Amino acid sequence: MADSVISMEKVKAFWNSQIYDEDKWALNAKLLRAAGLFAGSIILMRSYGDLMAI
């Protein structure tokens, strides 16, 4: 198998550094919450946007 530029060990190390470091996890949790709120608002407006029209 050909050597890949990004190995699974590097991906696992990056994942663990983002999850288990409290400072990085706090930022990532804020980003996940913001992305979820954004996606939820899009779904809400697509479903019920016609009811909100004046």
Side-chain angles (χ1 to χ4, degrees):
M1 190 166 139
D3 291 333
S4 63
V5 176
I6 301 174
S7 66
M8 284 305 292
E9 289 81 19
K10 288 182 182 179
V11 171
K12 286 180 184 178
F14 176 73
W15 178 263
N16 288 334
S17 72
Q18 294 297 314
I19 298 297
Y20 295 118
D21 185 13
E22 290 183 15
D23 294 333
K24 289 182 182 177
W25 176 245
L27 177 65
N28 290 335
K30 288 179 185 177
L31 289 174
L32 285 171
R33 189 177 302 126
L37 183 63
F38 181 71
S41 65
I42 289 174
I43 292 169
L44 179 79
M45 289 303 290
R46 287 185 59 92
S47 298
Y48 302 108
D50 55 340
L51 297 176
M52 296 180 195
I54 296 177

